[in-house]
Amino acid sequence: MPPTQPPIKAVVFDFDGLMFNTEDIFEAAGRELLQRRGLQMTPQLLSTMMGRRPMEAFQFMVDMHGLTEPIPDLLEESRVIFTDLIPGMLQPMPGLHELLEHLESRDLPKGVATSSSRSYLEDLLSRHELLERFHVTLTAEDVTHGKPHPEIYLSAAQRLGIHPSEMLVLEDSEAGTNAAASAEAVIVSVPHQHSRSHDFSRAHYVAERLDDPWVLDRLG
């Protein structure tokens, strides 16, 4: 008989590209930012930046294009462009609300662990009245090391009062998947058009959408 799987006691979500289609908006904002400088946002650059903290992600942009402007200035310009695009573009990813309702029907604690800032996370979650539905939220300000380092997922498990192996993590990027794997969590990767080329070999399962039957079954 197959070994019995330990029960999942909490679920932790990544945010960008996993809960909302923000990677689409990041691509549009990055494209506009670089077009203003006569440059292009390539799929390779977007893929490399994905899942990382803003300063680290924009360092890749600076290095790839040889930009001389300070990263904080680029981040602020990108933030303004991004904010202008949100009202017309922001959408929940397929299965998000269905999965949240499934978790709540089973009284499973929920968390968010993102490489983005707290003000950004709380703003977008509040726009969809989701902030209060999460027991724990961790952001770039809460860790010393960004993904793919496991710190953020180890911290999430600690705050939830469980062992990482009792935590199911939902991720959309290679960096995030590797962070969760190194933390020894149960990992479900949910690729989208911007991350389908990533290496998800360390995930326990690769799903098409958040409410994939495998995910619902694993949660009991």
Side-chain angles (χ1 to χ4, degrees), residues 5-12 103 106 108-109 162 164-169 185-187 214-215 217-220:
Q5 295 176 319
I8 297 298
K9 296 184 178 179
V11 176
V12 176
L103 295 174
R106 283 155 177 75
L108 281 171
I162 60 175
S165 64
E166 300 171 318
M167 177 174 72
L168 188 145
V169 169
V186 176
I187 315 144
W214 188 97
V215 176
D217 182 67
R218 184 65 180 87
L219 295 171

Side-chain angles (χ1 to χ4, degrees), residues 108-119:
L108 281 171
K110 304 181 298 298
V112 180
T114 178
S115 298
S116 295
S117 69
R118 178 160 298 280
S119 59

Side-chain angles (χ1 to χ4, degrees), residues 18-208:
L18 188 282
M19 294 177 64
F20 289 90
N21 67 331
T22 48
E23 298 298 353
D24 294 337
I25 311 176
F26 281 130
E27 180 186 33
R31 186 167 59 245
E32 171 63 24
L33 181 75
L34 290 172
Q35 281 179 348
R36 293 177 181 182
R37 293 156 176 79
L39 302 169
Q40 290 185 329
M41 168 62 79
T42 65
Q44 177 189 3
L45 176 56
L46 183 66
S47 178
T48 302
M49 295 173 70
M50 198 177 301
R52 302 179 186 276
R53 293 184 294 181
M55 289 292 290
E56 296 162 352
F58 269 71
Q59 186 65 57
F60 285 108
M61 178 185 286
V62 166
D63 293 344
M64 180 171 287
H65 287 295
L67 298 173
T68 57
E69 297 164 82
I71 290 179
D73 292 352
L74 293 170
L75 280 168
E76 177 57 22
E77 184 177 345
S78 176
R79 185 195 64 78
V80 172
I81 299 169
F82 183 94
T83 301
D84 289 342
L85 292 172
I86 285 175
M89 291 186 67
L90 186 67
Q91 295 289 336
M93 294 299 278
L96 173 62
H97 291 293
E98 291 83 353
L99 179 55
L100 291 177
E101 290 171 5
H102 182 84
L103 295 174
E104 288 162 3
S105 72
R106 283 155 177 75
D107 293 323
L108 281 171
K110 304 181 298 298
V112 180
T114 178
S115 298
S116 295
S117 69
R118 178 160 298 280
S119 59
Y120 164 86
L121 173 69
E122 294 184 350
D123 175 31
L124 268 60
L125 285 179
S126 297
R127 288 172 188 252
H128 285 255
E129 299 181 348
L130 293 178
L131 181 58
E132 300 303 321
R133 292 172 72 174
F134 288 92
H135 300 77
V136 169
T137 56
L138 289 100
T139 65
E141 294 94 329
D142 297 311
V143 294
T144 303
H145 306 288
K147 301 174 186 178
H149 193 281
E151 180 185 0
I152 197 164
Y153 285 119
L154 294 172
S155 296
Q158 184 178 31
R159 291 197 188 186
L160 289 162
I162 60 175
H163 189 273
S165 64
E166 300 171 318
M167 177 174 72
L168 188 145
V169 169
L170 294 151
E171 269 286 355
D172 71 303
S173 71
E174 181 177 336
T177 296
N178 288 338
S182 296
E184 299 184 355
V186 176
I187 315 144
V188 174
S189 297
V190 191
H192 46 71
Q193 62 174 336
H194 303 296
S195 65
R196 292 200 185 279
S197 63
H198 287 199
D199 180 3
F200 295 111
S201 59
R202 298 182 73 186
H204 292 85
Y205 182 74
V206 179
E208 287 296 318

